[in-house]
Amino acid sequence: MAKAANLSKSDLDSSSGSDLSVSSRTSNRSLRVVEKERRKNEAGDPFLLALKYFSEVEAGTPCIGNDVLERNLVQVERVGLSRGLPPEAISVMLDYAMSLRMGGMMCVRVLKFLIPATMVPQEAVVRAVAWLCVSKIAISTQVLFLRWVLTVFDMIDSKDNLRAIYGFIFHFVTEENLSPYICHLLYLLTRRESVRPFRVRKLLDLQTKMGRQPFLLLLLSLYKVFCPELVALALPSRMRSGFKNHNSTWKAALSAVQKRNNSQVSSDISLTLGVKHKTNSRKRKYHHLEVPSLSSSVQRNSPFSSSRKVFPLEQLHTFPQLLDNLHRIELPSQMGSLLGSSLALCYLDYVQDDSAFLRLNFWLGHALHEEFLFCSGDGSSGSSSGALHLLNRLLSTQHFLQEGFSSTEGFLYKFLNVWDGSLLRPQILGLLSGIPVVPSSCINQLLFEPLVQLFFTSTLFFKCSVIDCLNNMLLKWLTWHSVYALEDGLDISFHSHTPMNMTLSGFMDSVVELVRFVGRLSAVGLQLEGCHSLLLSFILDFYETVCDMFLKYGLPLVVMPPVGVFYPALFATDPVSLDRLGYIMYRYKKNLTSAKCQQQETKQAFHISRQTYREFNHYLSFMVSCLWNSKMFLPGMAIEVDQELLSLSKVAEPWTSFDLIHHPAFLGYALDFHHKCWPERKEMDLNSIKAGKQWDWYLEFLFSQGFQGLQQFVQSSITRRSAAGTNDQGQGDRQPTNS
Amino acid sequence: MEERNSTEETPRNNALAQRRSKSYRQSMRSCVEATHLAYTSGLLTALRIPRSRKAPKSCDITKQVDPDQVALLVKKEWQLSYVTPLYQFRHTQLKSYSKQLSAFIVSEKQQGLAIEVGQELGFKVNFSVVLGLAETDKDAETVFIQILSKQAFSAKDDAQKVVWSGWLTCVNGDLDYLRSLPLEFVSLPLFCTRGPESLTVLVKSWFEKTFDCCFGPLGINSTNLQWLASLWTGCHPTINIQYLKLVWTLPTLPPMDVTYTVHPQDAWELWDSMRQVDTTEDSISIDEVTGFIKGLQSHFFRHFRIDLSAGSLMQISTALGSSHHSGKIKIASPNYIPTILQLLTECALLKMPI
């Protein structure tokens, strides 16, 4: 579109068109032919004729009483205000106006309807600036022109040539009336190479002459961004809004034209100053909690670096900008400022600069230490909203980068020792769940000891959130592992190094430690809280992660829950826990069987011990005989009760009391089922469910209630010898996986 | 609280030493799976609190250090801060730092007025190196900063008045720590300042912006005050300490301050009796120090029935110098500067976040 426009422009306007590159010229030759063809057809188009008139009209042609001029002008004006002018028309009209071929009045009139339809050719603006230098345009008209340039700035097709005449534009800065607009324009055009000591001095001279004008300061502040070694400036807080808009004359027409053309060209006219300055109003005692503002580094002492084109992070506003300038982005003077910008974090993730991370970690560690460990503010620190804000930002940053900072890690190890378990709990636990794998040699001292103390002395909800936190921690460790395992191919040998400077066996040791630790915590926690179902639910969440470590995360490791978790879940009074236990056992079985298969195939020595298989079989057979076969309290089973004691309880058939019908979790369903099966029966006989087809129906009924875990458990672990004919109870498969 | 902090693990060296190997990074094909932010701990080395120190030896510091510069440091009370390692600080750039800092101060004082760097201003800043204070080759040389003010109505030839001074130093810093820092970082962990707080804030803020470092207040906890008391008392045979004054604050309502002044000879005899025979002459152990303080406390208890160990030691002073809990120090005699600075450097390094 733009090229076609340029072409037709070059036909009309003989003076230039040279900004087209050779290649595009040749490739567009055929286009040109088509264009000419079209032009012939439209020879009568009054708009084109009008443009032709303006491009050819002689200087000094009178304008008063000139009907031809008036007719053509109205023609172009109408198009301009309704549809917007194509690039070539802009070029012609701007040249016509600025050359003052028919005087200043015409110039003003033309400028007012110069609404671009798509874009403004840069070369037209450059030529207009040239006219600004030579002809005697009235100051008010000059201002109008500059305001027009600022308004359409984003629609100028490229700015290279404009930057090339930076010096000429800068020249106008001393003109008192133009100065605000020139400063704005310079602000938009400035690159580091345009900041020169003599320009700085000129602006400072102006500052002494004109006082603290916002436009001067804003331009100077940009100069400071590029060359902090040349100029020092602290912007007062009232002056942080940026430049004013100067688009009033064209605003309505421009937006109407753009709406009509449904133009994609962004004309975000409100050019605000992107540089955020820190507010000084904040009390100094919270100084360490403040994320520093992005500003470029003063550390440019070598002559080479100053000539290199760099892109300060301060000017980075969009992701495409980041991609375009990835190779020449300059890290800010204070790495802590990256925390405030997700774009900068993208960049940080991309560059892998040790020093940069170290700087960031120093800043972050310092902030955390000062706030929570040294408490240098006053006694009430930590509860301040500043701390909350910082931690939330840190959490979202770590979430964004999907990893924790080492300074956070170091801080947490210290802080756990002095934490009361309630201060900013969600944030602290959130950070804790993001710590990288801790070597098994010190995991106990750093993590477990302080956590145990907090865990056993706190409320149920704290216990739940600790288990949740450890579950998230395990999930992250496993995810890291699986990502690296994938990257290294399938060759998971025990000596390959993960990037965490850890061997696979070292990593497994840590995971085993963590899982065992949670097992201990859970067992005792459940006892302390009377097997609270909320706590149990969090614990089962954890084991849902644990049971799938092999299949989901490729870690050749299976750890069974301790008895203190298994039996409370099995005898839980709520069906949900039992259902989840069923699912967990089902996944354990899947993992163990596929581990076994792989072991047989590859003949590789896996470190899943016989003990694990034995434990699993033990749990499984107990579960099957208890739920399915109604066998309980038999000698040799995990739970043995003295027969005499049992008879004292006066429970009839005590061995059936935890089968699928009588289990406290399912009793309600059994009653419901019984009622639905035999609505006319007066006497309740639950045992009748066990007989015949009713048992199958009962199972169907249970599964239809949403107990998918139970269903998977039953289907995977119980082979029903009973064919359709023999209506005895199914037999549990007592040895699903042999060790 | 402080006791607790100081005895905790400081897993910092691992962070620096265990950076991910370059080779891995180069082999990384996608950028998703990077854990470079977390220098995961390998060996967590504890930064040990020294349990023994060398006995201070009187040395003529003026042999190594320019006496004029020594005169700038002694007999003045300094407020202490710690500072994290300075990124890309160069001792060769001090002239340019002088210009930048003075421009920064003026521009901050005159909000909204741009200042050309290098121009003559109301403030003049001098950066200078104090050569000779560093003890090991890993210690960075001390940097001294002076801010001079031009009086508005002073005659041209009037000497400019020093309104603020400060220095950054590192004496006998922990070698493992200093070695673990990448080359771009210069560790000068101890920052001593003297002058109006507003200027201190500006100087700190300039350093933070320029060298990406962070400042924090550095208090001297009671253990370190006890060390100082013992070290200074031990000097009595060489230089008369004239008195040993200790100030305790007891947690009564309202809090009670106890000032306890001991005759120098008595203090020295008590200290000498605490010195264990088997220890070598130039080493002092923490047990001797606590024994010394306990002796002083029990003496006080016998007379006044007040147990000073229930309170906290706030301040100690002798003719050799004085030191306050809140992080103020005054070194009166140049002869023991290195000993004191080493102790303070240790305190500052213990505050490093990683």
Side-chain angles (χ1 to χ4, degrees), chain A residues 177-249:
Chain A
N177 294 319
L178 298 185
S179 190
Y181 309 100
I182 290 293
C183 281
H184 192 165
L185 186 57
L186 292 174
Y187 186 90
L188 296 172
L189 292 174
T190 301
R191 285 284 175 273
R192 173 168 285 161
E193 50 274 21
S194 29
V195 182
R196 298 285 171 75
F198 67 87
R199 287 191 185 133
V200 172
R201 218 160 294 142
K202 185 79 145 190
L203 290 177
L204 290 172
D205 283 350
L206 269 182
Q207 185 186 239
T208 26
K209 222 181 285 170
M210 302 166 76
R212 302 172 188 192
Q213 299 295 341
F215 50 87
L216 274 179
L217 288 175
L218 287 170
L219 182 58
L220 278 165
S221 75
L222 185 68
Y223 276 29
K224 188 187 139 209
V225 165
F226 286 113
C227 292
E229 70 273 16
L230 287 181
V231 59
L233 170 66
L235 273 191
S237 50
R238 63 188 153 76
M239 212 188 291
R240 279 162 198 165
S241 47
F243 286 97
K244 276 189 215 142
N245 276 327
H246 311 295
N247 58 355
S248 52
T249 317

Side-chain angles (χ1 to χ4, degrees), chain A residues 83-94:
Chain A
R83 281 185 281 142
L85 297 172
E88 68 272 25
I90 296 275
S91 190
V92 169
M93 294 312 292
L94 192 59

